[in-house]
Amino acid sequence: METYKDMHIHSTYSDGSLKIPVLLEQLSKKNIGTFAITDHDSLDSVRELKALGSSLEWYSGIEVSTIYNHHKIHLLGYGFDENNAAMIELVEWIKKQRQLRFYGMVKKAEKEFQLAIPISYFQQLEKEGTILVRPHLMRYLVKQGCGDSSDIMDRIENSCISKIPYRVNLMWAIEALKKAKALLLIAHPKEIEKESHIAFETIIDDLIKLGIDGIEVFHSIHTDADVKRYHDLALKYHLLESGGSDYHGPDRKGRTLGQVTKSEKKVKQLSLVQELRDRR
């Protein structure tokens, strides 16, 4: 029997709240037989999955933070060699920039929340392989009783954001991931449209010329109308289609493992997965 697919999931190696063994347990319970952990700018989930082993069908995944003509674009990579030197260099650069950015936010948060924040708490997370991002600071402040998560995140975004850049040029990311034999897909195009105030159609030609292989047609923020539109674009340009919940854990509302549209639909067939199977 064909199981469900979820090709966009986050663990504690980036901004997810659940460790990989817990995610594996939940995936099995939800009849999701094919998946990818796509942590932001990190390769550690791939290494842990290899070490753990799993009876489920899984593929290496990553979500790289990029910039292209002032547009914030998240680039999903699948089926790559995590030991490729070019890819490791890319990820390490982002990791260092994220580290500088995050500890700059911690200093600002101490003033904003009138609180002494021990650096050792976050250093321990780094030792465990975590790429530190805003939600880690938010969760710490919630534990300290500084407010609820939405209020704290608003205050962090308004008062604590660092100007240190961590997004890489899209062309660098594409070049590095291609060297690692990755398939490249644009994550949640609806989010690009919302942030950049553009129609995805205005940049898709450029993205294809740069070397992308597909689009994340299904996503937990996409309506059924969005799905049809991106599906039609994928067909028109002969692109691979993927889909995922973008699950970050139970504290991220509106996103549940396996549910890959706003109307909570699930998928059993994805051309991305078929292409990954054919490449094995």
Side-chain angles (χ1 to χ4, degrees):
M1 182 179 69
E2 187 75 18
T3 55
Y4 297 112
K5 295 172 174 57
D6 194 334
M7 301 299 287
H8 192 159
I9 302 168
H10 294 279
S11 77
T12 51
Y13 284 120
S14 60
D15 54 350
S17 60
L18 300 180
K19 293 182 180 294
I20 287 178
V22 178
L23 286 170
L24 291 175
E25 189 176 313
Q26 290 195 8
L27 287 162
S28 294
K29 288 180 179 178
K30 291 180 177 291
N31 197 31
I32 299 167
T34 305
F35 72 95
I37 305 292
T38 52
D39 279 315
H40 294 283
D41 312 312
S42 174
L43 299 169
D44 289 319
S45 61
V46 182
R47 294 171 179 139
E48 181 168 345
L49 281 167
K50 279 193 171 182
L52 288 173
S54 174
S55 59
L56 303 177
E57 178 186 23
W58 67 273
Y59 295 94
S60 55
I62 190 171
E63 186 173 5
V64 181
S65 309
T66 79
I67 195 80
Y68 174 70
N69 287 350
H70 306 293
H71 304 308
K72 296 177 182 179
I73 293 179
H74 286 203
L75 183 68
L76 291 164
Y78 296 99
F80 50 79
D81 171 14
E82 74 278 7
N83 296 312
N84 177 269
M87 192 165 186
I88 290 173
E89 180 184 4
L90 175 81
V91 169
E92 285 300 313
W93 186 89
I94 300 174
K95 180 180 178 180
K96 288 177 182 177
Q97 294 299 108
R98 276 192 176 279
Q99 185 181 52
L100 291 170
R101 179 183 175 88
F102 181 82
Y103 285 115
M105 287 194 296
V106 169
K107 287 184 179 180
K108 291 182 178 181
E110 286 186 313
K111 294 180 180 179
E112 171 68 21
F113 293 90
Q114 296 295 300
L115 182 71
I117 302 175
I119 297 300
S120 58
Y121 174 84
F122 299 107
Q123 288 175 332
Q124 180 57 41
L125 292 179
E126 283 190 290
K127 288 179 182 179
E128 296 169 4
T130 300
I131 302 295
L132 295 172
V133 289
R134 278 176 290 176
H136 294 110
L137 179 56
M138 178 270 291
R139 289 173 193 141
Y140 175 83
L141 293 169
V142 168
K143 288 180 180 178
Q144 300 307 307
C146 296
D148 62 35
S149 58
S150 59
D151 175 62
I152 288 173
M153 188 59 82
D154 285 342
R155 289 174 68 181
I156 290 174
E157 290 178 349
N158 290 333
S159 306
C160 305
I161 293 298
S162 168
K163 294 183 179 179
I164 295 173
Y166 67 93
R167 292 180 177 274
V168 298
N169 183 285
L170 177 61
M171 289 175 280
W172 178 19
I174 288 175
E175 181 182 355
L177 269 65
K178 285 289 185 183
K179 287 180 179 178
K181 307 300 182 185
L183 289 173
L184 306 179
L185 286 86
I186 300 300
H188 36 64
K190 186 72 174 181
E191 188 172 293
I192 298 172
E193 294 182 319
K194 183 178 179 181
E195 289 188 343
S196 296
H197 306 289
I198 59 168
F200 190 61
E201 288 85 347
T202 64
I203 62 172
I204 191 169
D205 282 306
D206 290 344
L207 296 174
I208 291 169
K209 288 175 184 176
L210 289 173
I212 69 157
D213 301 299
I215 310 171
E216 189 173 43
V217 170
F218 300 90
H219 186 274
S220 51
I221 67 168
H222 290 177
T223 64
D224 293 342
D226 294 328
V227 169
K228 184 182 185 306
R229 182 171 146 233
Y230 299 133
H231 169 70
D232 289 344
L233 280 174
L235 289 179
K236 178 181 178 180
Y237 292 99
H238 307 289
L239 296 170
L240 296 173
E241 297 182 48
S242 186
S245 61
D246 204 354
Y247 183 66
H248 285 69
D251 57 347
R252 189 77 163 263
K253 295 180 180 179
R255 300 185 183 185
T256 303
L257 277 176
Q259 295 180 346
V260 296
T261 68
K262 201 168 185 179
S263 59
E264 300 186 350
K265 290 183 179 178
K266 300 178 181 181
V267 291
K268 291 185 176 181
Q269 301 291 336
L270 290 170
S271 58
L272 167 67
V273 172
Q274 189 56 56
E275 180 66 22
L276 288 167
R277 287 172 178 171
D278 291 344
R279 286 174 41 154
R280 277 188 163 176

